[in-house]
Amino acid sequence: MVQRDGEMTERTPEERLADHATIDRLADELLPALVAKLGASGLGEMDVREGGWRIRLRMPADGRASRRSSGPGRGGHQSPSGPANPAAHAAPTARGASPAPNPGDFDDPAPASRAVATAPAVGFYRPRPGLAAGARVRAGDRLGTIDVLGVPQEVVAPSDGIVGATHVEPGDPVEYGQEIVEIELLGAPTVTPGAPPASTATPTVAPTAAPPAPAAPTASTAAPTGPEAG
Amino acid sequence: MFERVLIANRGEIALRVLRACRTLGIGAVLAYSEADRDSLAAQLADEAICIGPADPRRSYLSASAIISAAIVTGCDAIHPGYGFLSEDAGFAEAVAAHGLTFVGPSAEVLERFASKEATRRLLAAHGLPTIPGSDGLLRDDEHALAEAGRTGYPVLLKPSAGGGGKGMRMVRTPRELQAALQVCRSEARAAFGDDSLYLEKWLDDSRHVEVQVVVDRYGHGVHLGERDCSVQLRHQKLIEEAPTPALPAAAREELAERALRAIVAAGYENVGTLEFLVDRDASFHFIEINCRLQVEHPVTEMRTGIDLVATQLRIAAGEPLGFSQADVGFTGHAIEFRINAEDAAHDFRPQAGRVERFYAPGGPGVRMDSHLYAGYEVPSDYDSLLGKLVVWGPDRPSAIARGRAALDELVVDGIITNRAFHRAMLDNPAFIGGRVTTNLVDRVGAAAFLVPRG
């Protein structure tokens, strides 16, 4: 995340242009070096301030650099340098519709054996006490909660499997649909492109499968778009 | 002034609120549903946060999702836009209960004006002539028939809990009334969760004229003139303009002043609009108040030079209005065209789809408020408003001329819009003569306006 540090003040058009140029420069020049540094250091997070700007990087627990799976903010939809994690975008989840993957996300082959538990609401993440990577879970098991104005909403496992990496720290703010916990599927099926897997577990998307298309726009329908209407 | 505002809305109004935040140097966070992930406001905001799926009940109508998002992103105020929760007293109260500021009237004020039927009685008590109608809500069919008979047909059945034309039916006979009661009740229940109805006298060939007011927290209010919104289809506005061609200057002044006096006395605050029907004999009757920003606010902005959204934010932040009625200047004539994704040639059927090309007209006195961009996928989950084209001229004929040029310049490819309908209206003698009444388009049929005139 790249943002202006400190108070927001009124910006003139010239200052805005300068801002955009600065963001571009930071993205191109600084971010690759920072990502590399972060990776090499073994640290989880880096918060850098430079000349009135603030850059925050976070490594997921499995060590692969990636951007937050949703929420553009300043800096838009581009990843910081480093391999984008296409699997993070491609895997549909048990709750609601996942963001439609971009064609470029399939450049790296995604493991066809994982699913992700996502946030069912916007709020603060609280893991289930004792939840640890490697634990076996069943579909529907509570992995944690999202505190929505004091009311907990459950984060559940989308399928049977083994708890993998957690992308979010306890107490972190999360948005709806944000990826929380990886679930490695048991006995990963070989997924034929375009064909759903035989098991009743939430299907994963093979890299060559066509991305789930949003519902074809029709006149005067009220159905929400997305592959899994909520 | 606020540090950071959560914009709890979508489409063109989200962009409009974002622009006001930029003007005031306020940080802006956009709350969006999954269907609006790629919206223009999401891309331009300082931060954007997904609050739920496309279904509005789980996103834009979810008080907890919105307030949670505001807290999570460190906002100190929430701007509700228009529609959705913008007039919901419960939502405003919940916002305040969580230590945030709702940009609009307080929950108490919203509650006071929540029932359209009660508001009519309240403002009648404060000296506004109101449209004759039922004495309270319609208890049952028998009561409805009695009230309609007493009021005199034709009458308009209206839901007490909401607006936008839903659940409204005009009926001319008792038989029509009986048939309409069922339909209106179920429409109202579906749209607002409340099937209470009341009825008003329907004035054939009336004009819809509304008055824009702004009142600060200290009871100091000014009016910003009126708008004529008579070009409607099925009670939904299509074209709005100011000043109204229906009334001479003195009558317009009187209308606006009386509206302001009544609404300040009734304890209103922030930005709002009082709607009236103006009869053939130029007498006016109050029908309802909208306790929020209106879609057609740019018409007033073009004539007065006052930024209404910035004014909302300032009032909500506790600032005094800072100007008096004498400071408000009105110049020229402004007209707004609602560009909808609708097929005017086929009963204004709503469209969804991908905008292949978008070109907004420009030049002096031309303003385009739109969230469209080339490549944008218009979601099918929400209303069909794509943007508002607003033109200004020193007088009505020049505004109309600018409107023709701007509509001819406007390009929206890939999705059917009502652009041709608007263009045809500007060649229609009734419109040019300033003689459009609220049921003209319905009566004549929208398709009739598409016939090129010789």
Side-chain angles (χ1 to χ4, degrees):
Chain A
M1 179 181 72
V2 177
Q3 72 177 81
R4 284 192 59 77
D5 196 15
E7 271 191 20
M8 286 293 298
T9 55
E10 212 172 311
R11 307 291 285 168
T12 65
E14 296 75 35
E15 284 171 325
R16 290 206 168 286
L17 273 173
D19 285 353
H20 292 152
T22 303
I23 292 170
D24 286 346
R25 181 181 67 78
L26 288 172
D28 288 346
E29 296 171 12
L30 217 52
L31 278 174
L34 289 176
V35 169
K37 269 207 162 78
L38 185 60
S41 70
L43 292 171
E45 191 171 330
M46 183 185 280
D47 194 327
V48 176
R49 288 161 208 249
E50 205 235 24
W53 289 87
R54 182 180 179 191
I55 304 163
R56 195 149 75 195
L57 298 172
R58 174 178 290 139
M59 291 291 257
D62 63 359
R64 280 176 295 180
S66 70
R67 65 175 175 86
R68 276 172 67 146
S69 60
S70 45
R74 269 278 157 80
H77 291 274
Q78 293 107 14
S79 311
S81 312
N85 183 353
H89 305 290
T93 60
R95 291 190 181 275
S98 58
N102 301 312
D105 285 342
F106 294 102
D107 288 345
D108 290 318
S113 58
R114 59 183 282 287
V116 184
T118 60
V122 50
F124 296 98
Y125 172 61
R126 312 219 180 284
R128 194 190 78 197
L131 178 79
R136 268 203 176 192
V137 291
R138 307 199 62 103
D141 277 358
R142 187 171 63 90
L143 303 174
T145 58
I146 306 298
D147 181 325
V148 184
L149 304 179
V151 177
Q153 289 204 31
E154 294 193 341
V155 179
V156 298
S159 52
D160 295 359
I162 300 197
V163 174
T166 299
H167 294 303
V168 178
E169 302 300 308
D172 269 1
V174 298
E175 62 181 1
Y176 175 86
Q178 185 164 342
E179 298 187 349
I180 307 291
V181 184
E182 305 264 343
I183 304 293
E184 320 282 340
L185 301 186
L186 301 171
T190 315
V191 181
T192 321
S199 73
T200 52
T202 307
T204 57
V205 177
T208 50
T218 52
S220 67
T221 56
T225 55
E228 292 161 25
Chain B
M1 180 40 74
F2 309 118
E3 287 288 315
R4 235 177 183 217
V5 169
L6 184 87
I7 302 170
N9 212 297
R10 60 171 306 280
E12 68 88 18
I13 198 61
L15 187 57
R16 175 69 189 90
V17 176
L18 175 63
R19 285 170 170 159
C21 290
R22 296 274 184 253
T23 300
L24 295 175
I26 303 172
V29 180
L30 193 271
Y32 65 90
S33 79
E34 287 189 318
D36 288 322
R37 187 179 299 276
D38 294 324
S39 66
L40 193 51
Q43 295 176 45
L44 294 176
D46 294 307
E47 200 177 326
I49 181 162
C50 185
I51 58 170
D55 183 352
R57 288 167 303 180
R58 293 178 60 197
S59 49
Y60 300 109
L61 288 172
S62 169
S64 60
I66 291 169
I67 296 171
S68 185
I71 290 170
V72 153
T73 54
C75 293
D76 47 350
I78 297 177
H79 195 301
Y82 51 61
F84 291 136
L85 294 172
S86 60
E87 291 174 280
D88 191 311
F91 176 61
E93 194 170 341
V95 171
H98 283 93
L100 306 170
T101 304
F102 175 81
V103 180
S106 68
E108 193 199 322
V109 172
L110 286 177
E111 193 60 59
R112 191 177 311 149
F113 296 100
S115 155
K116 297 205 287 188
E117 189 274 324
T119 298
R120 236 177 70 234
R121 279 185 283 130
L122 174 64
L123 290 178
H126 283 287
L128 281 188
T130 54
I131 194 108
S134 61
D135 184 13
L137 299 174
L138 304 175
R139 288 189 298 274
D140 50 39
D141 287 18
E142 212 180 292
H143 185 219
L145 280 162
E147 288 296 289
R150 189 178 61 76
T151 303
Y153 289 90
V155 297
L156 180 67
L157 280 173
K158 293 177 80 167
S160 195
K166 295 205 173 73
M168 282 172 65
R169 283 288 190 290
M170 190 270 287
V171 295
R172 297 189 181 277
T173 66
R175 180 174 302 187
E176 280 183 19
L177 176 65
Q178 283 192 295
L181 280 165
Q182 280 281 65
V183 177
C184 290
R185 286 213 173 88
S186 54
E187 264 183 35
R189 203 178 309 126
F192 316 114
D194 179 349
D195 67 358
S196 324
L197 301 176
Y198 68 111
L199 61 82
E200 284 172 358
K201 182 140 185 63
W202 170 261
L203 304 177
D204 268 328
D205 298 334
S206 61
R207 316 283 302 240
H208 175 120
V209 179
E210 58 191 34
V211 176
Q212 178 73 60
V213 300
V214 299
V215 187
D216 66 19
R217 288 247 171 93
Y218 313 100
H220 184 221
V222 307
H223 72 76
L224 298 181
E226 83 291 349
R227 293 182 294 257
D228 186 312
C229 310
S230 302
V231 182
Q232 299 180 8
L233 181 70
R234 294 176 203 140
H235 312 291
Q236 309 231 7
K237 299 167 185 172
L238 288 172
I239 300 177
E240 304 101 344
E241 62 177 309
T244 173
L247 298 170
R252 298 197 312 257
E253 184 73 18
E254 190 208 339
L255 170 65
E257 279 173 1
R258 287 183 70 174
L260 176 68
R261 233 176 301 136
I263 205 58
V264 169
Y268 191 71
E269 70 182 31
N270 210 289
V271 151
T273 296
L274 290 92
E275 299 191 329
F276 296 84
L277 285 183
V278 174
D279 212 340
R280 258 180 291 222
D281 59 2
S283 60
F284 54 85
H285 312 268
F286 171 78
I287 34 174
E288 62 185 71
I289 181 171
N290 294 318
C291 302
R292 53 168 168 86
L293 186 72
Q294 301 236 160
V295 173
E296 59 270 24
H297 71 273
V299 170
T300 297
E301 292 184 332
M302 298 286 264
R303 287 197 76 222
T304 60
I306 290 170
D307 183 329
L308 274 163
V309 184
T311 302
Q312 279 187 300
L313 288 160
R314 291 198 304 106
I315 291 176
E319 289 183 24
L321 199 55
F323 59 92
S324 66
Q325 193 66 61
D327 297 320
V328 179
F330 300 93
T331 61
H333 198 101
I335 309 175
E336 173 183 276
F337 309 96
R338 295 200 191 188
I339 309 298
N340 293 330
E342 279 165 0
D343 189 351
H346 295 99
D347 208 35
F348 291 92
R349 218 178 304 148
Q351 308 284 303
R354 189 188 146 94
V355 175
E356 297 297 337
R357 259 208 323 158
F358 173 62
Y359 177 78
V366 178
R367 166 177 166 176
M368 182 89 209
D369 278 23
S370 172
H371 56 296
L372 297 189
Y373 57 90
Y376 174 59
E377 196 78 53
V378 177
S380 55
D381 315 85
Y382 310 109
D383 67 29
S384 60
L385 182 63
L386 299 177
K388 294 130 44 177
L389 174 56
V390 196
V391 295
W392 178 94
D395 52 38
R396 195 168 186 267
S398 62
I400 289 177
R402 228 165 229 168
R404 290 193 191 107
L407 284 165
D408 286 342
E409 255 185 70
L410 172 67
V411 175
V412 183
D413 282 351
I415 192 163
I416 298 179
T417 71
N418 58 357
R419 189 186 66 89
F421 166 81
H422 288 300
R423 187 59 185 85
M425 279 301 283
L426 294 184
D427 288 338
N428 179 280
F431 184 83
I432 293 169
R435 295 189 309 274
V436 179
T437 55
T438 51
N439 55 342
L440 182 66
V441 177
D442 289 279
R443 243 181 331 124
V444 172
F449 288 94
L450 299 179
V451 176
R453 311 204 89 83

